[in-house]
PDB file of all heavy atoms in Angstrom:
ATOM      1  N   VAL A 236      71.020 163.920  58.880  1.00 97.00           N
ATOM      2  CA  VAL A 236      71.710 164.771  59.810  1.00 97.00           C
ATOM      3  C   VAL A 236      71.323 166.254  59.644  1.00 97.00           C
ATOM      4  O   VAL A 236      71.096 166.975  60.573  1.00 97.00           O
ATOM      5  CB  VAL A 236      73.266 164.642  59.673  1.00 97.00           C
ATOM      6  CG1 VAL A 236      73.957 165.650  60.483  1.00 97.00           C
ATOM      7  CG2 VAL A 236      73.695 163.267  60.024  1.00 97.00           C
ATOM      8  N   THR A 237      71.145 166.647  58.406  1.00 97.00           N
ATOM      9  CA  THR A 237      70.845 168.087  58.058  1.00 97.00           C
ATOM     10  C   THR A 237      69.331 168.331  57.772  1.00 97.00           C
ATOM     11  O   THR A 237      69.065 169.302  57.201  1.00 97.00           O
ATOM     12  CB  THR A 237      71.712 168.544  56.924  1.00 97.00           C
ATOM     13  OG1 THR A 237      71.428 167.763  55.783  1.00 97.00           O
ATOM     14  CG2 THR A 237      73.157 168.450  57.335  1.00 97.00           C
ATOM     15  N   ALA A 238      68.434 167.417  58.128  1.00 95.00           N
ATOM     16  CA  ALA A 238      67.065 167.475  57.737  1.00 95.00           C
ATOM     17  C   ALA A 238      66.266 168.450  58.611  1.00 95.00           C
ATOM     18  O   ALA A 238      65.159 168.795  58.260  1.00 95.00           O
ATOM     19  CB  ALA A 238      66.423 166.055  57.768  1.00 95.00           C
ATOM     20  N   ARG A 239      66.816 168.884  59.744  1.00 91.00           N
ATOM     21  CA  ARG A 239      66.003 169.629  60.683  1.00 91.00           C
ATOM     22  C   ARG A 239      66.415 171.146  60.620  1.00 91.00           C
ATOM     23  O   ARG A 239      67.601 171.457  60.703  1.00 91.00           O
ATOM     24  CB  ARG A 239      66.192 169.104  62.128  1.00 91.00           C
ATOM     25  CG  ARG A 239      65.815 167.665  62.220  1.00 91.00           C
ATOM     26  CD  ARG A 239      66.233 167.093  63.570  1.00 91.00           C
ATOM     27  NE  ARG A 239      67.655 167.268  63.843  1.00 91.00           N
ATOM     28  CZ  ARG A 239      68.165 167.363  65.089  1.00 91.00           C
ATOM     29  NH1 ARG A 239      67.393 167.303  66.116  1.00 91.00           N
ATOM     30  NH2 ARG A 239      69.431 167.487  65.184  1.00 91.00           N
ATOM     31  N   GLN A 240      65.465 171.977  60.366  1.00 89.00           N
ATOM     32  CA  GLN A 240      65.701 173.451  60.217  1.00 89.00           C
ATOM     33  C   GLN A 240      66.339 173.934  61.547  1.00 89.00           C
ATOM     34  O   GLN A 240      66.018 173.462  62.615  1.00 89.00           O
ATOM     35  CB  GLN A 240      64.482 174.195  59.866  1.00 89.00           C
ATOM     36  CG  GLN A 240      63.951 173.859  58.487  1.00 89.00           C
ATOM     37  CD  GLN A 240      62.803 174.751  58.086  1.00 89.00           C
ATOM     38  OE1 GLN A 240      62.785 175.914  58.447  1.00 89.00           O
ATOM     39  NE2 GLN A 240      61.873 174.198  57.277  1.00 89.00           N
ATOM     40  N   GLU A 241      67.184 174.988  61.388  1.00 89.00           N
ATOM     41  CA  GLU A 241      67.779 175.660  62.544  1.00 89.00           C
ATOM     42  C   GLU A 241      68.785 174.854  63.317  1.00 89.00           C
ATOM     43  O   GLU A 241      69.229 175.234  64.380  1.00 89.00           O
ATOM     44  CB  GLU A 241      66.698 176.270  63.492  1.00 89.00           C
ATOM     45  CG  GLU A 241      65.616 177.082  62.811  1.00 89.00           C
ATOM     46  CD  GLU A 241      66.190 178.313  62.024  1.00 89.00           C
ATOM     47  OE1 GLU A 241      67.278 178.763  62.449  1.00 89.00           O
ATOM     48  OE2 GLU A 241      65.578 178.702  61.073  1.00 89.00           O
ATOM     49  N   ARG A 242      69.132 173.646  62.798  1.00 96.00           N
ATOM     50  CA  ARG A 242      70.086 172.791  63.536  1.00 96.00           C
ATOM     51  C   ARG A 242      71.101 172.287  62.567  1.00 96.00           C
ATOM     52  O   ARG A 242      70.932 172.219  61.397  1.00 96.00           O
ATOM     53  CB  ARG A 242      69.328 171.624  64.215  1.00 96.00           C
ATOM     54  CG  ARG A 242      68.350 172.109  65.249  1.00 96.00           C
ATOM     55  CD  ARG A 242      67.551 170.974  65.850  1.00 96.00           C
ATOM     56  NE  ARG A 242      66.465 171.489  66.713  1.00 96.00           N
ATOM     57  CZ  ARG A 242      65.482 170.744  67.171  1.00 96.00           C
ATOM     58  NH1 ARG A 242      65.472 169.461  66.934  1.00 96.00           N
ATOM     59  NH2 ARG A 242      64.523 171.320  67.936  1.00 96.00           N
ATOM     60  N   GLU A 243      72.254 171.868  63.183  1.00 97.00           N
ATOM     61  CA  GLU A 243      73.350 171.240  62.331  1.00 97.00           C
ATOM     62  C   GLU A 243      73.806 172.242  61.259  1.00 97.00           C
ATOM     63  O   GLU A 243      74.035 171.859  60.123  1.00 97.00           O
ATOM     64  CB  GLU A 243      73.011 169.914  61.768  1.00 97.00           C
ATOM     65  CG  GLU A 243      72.959 168.772  62.766  1.00 97.00           C
ATOM     66  CD  GLU A 243      71.710 168.791  63.654  1.00 97.00           C
ATOM     67  OE1 GLU A 243      70.618 169.058  63.126  1.00 97.00           O
ATOM     68  OE2 GLU A 243      71.817 168.480  64.867  1.00 97.00           O
ATOM     69  N   ASN A 244      73.882 173.507  61.594  1.00 97.00           N
ATOM     70  CA  ASN A 244      74.132 174.549  60.556  1.00 97.00           C
ATOM     71  C   ASN A 244      75.593 174.489  60.039  1.00 97.00           C
ATOM     72  O   ASN A 244      75.843 174.837  58.904  1.00 97.00           O
ATOM     73  CB  ASN A 244      73.859 175.944  61.145  1.00 97.00           C
ATOM     74  CG  ASN A 244      72.351 176.132  61.424  1.00 97.00           C
ATOM     75  OD1 ASN A 244      71.514 175.372  60.973  1.00 97.00           O
ATOM     76  ND2 ASN A 244      72.063 177.219  62.076  1.00 97.00           N
ATOM     77  N   TYR A 245      76.523 174.056  60.865  1.00 98.00           N
ATOM     78  CA  TYR A 245      77.895 173.994  60.432  1.00 98.00           C
ATOM     79  C   TYR A 245      78.088 172.788  59.444  1.00 98.00           C
ATOM     80  O   TYR A 245      78.790 172.931  58.480  1.00 98.00           O
ATOM     81  CB  TYR A 245      78.877 173.825  61.609  1.00 98.00           C
ATOM     82  CG  TYR A 245      79.161 175.168  62.299  1.00 98.00           C
ATOM     83  CD1 TYR A 245      78.391 175.551  63.390  1.00 98.00           C
ATOM     84  CD2 TYR A 245      80.193 176.003  61.843  1.00 98.00           C
ATOM     85  CE1 TYR A 245      78.664 176.761  64.066  1.00 98.00           C
ATOM     86  CE2 TYR A 245      80.440 177.219  62.478  1.00 98.00           C
ATOM     87  CZ  TYR A 245      79.668 177.594  63.545  1.00 98.00           C
ATOM     88  OH  TYR A 245      79.892 178.802  64.175  1.00 98.00           O
ATOM     89  N   ALA A 246      77.400 171.705  59.760  1.00 98.00           N
ATOM     90  CA  ALA A 246      77.437 170.556  58.825  1.00 98.00           C
ATOM     91  C   ALA A 246      76.758 170.901  57.484  1.00 98.00           C
ATOM     92  O   ALA A 246      77.263 170.553  56.425  1.00 98.00           O
ATOM     93  CB  ALA A 246      76.716 169.343  59.446  1.00 98.00           C
ATOM     94  N   ARG A 247      75.672 171.607  57.605  1.00 97.00           N
ATOM     95  CA  ARG A 247      74.994 172.058  56.349  1.00 97.00           C
ATOM     96  C   ARG A 247      75.889 172.976  55.528  1.00 97.00           C
ATOM     97  O   ARG A 247      75.971 172.921  54.276  1.00 97.00           O
ATOM     98  CB  ARG A 247      73.662 172.708  56.667  1.00 97.00           C
ATOM     99  CG  ARG A 247      72.777 173.010  55.472  1.00 97.00           C
ATOM    100  CD  ARG A 247      71.458 173.562  55.871  1.00 97.00           C
ATOM    101  NE  ARG A 247      70.615 172.610  56.589  1.00 97.00           N
ATOM    102  CZ  ARG A 247      70.334 172.707  57.909  1.00 97.00           C
ATOM    103  NH1 ARG A 247      70.782 173.764  58.614  1.00 97.00           N
ATOM    104  NH2 ARG A 247      69.660 171.801  58.538  1.00 97.00           N
TER     105      ARG A 247
END
Side-chain angles (χ1 to χ4, degrees):
V236 172
T237 59
R239 303 171 304 152
Q240 294 188 32
E241 309 300 333
R242 298 175 189 170
E243 288 76 39
N244 293 349
Y245 281 91
R247 190 176 292 110

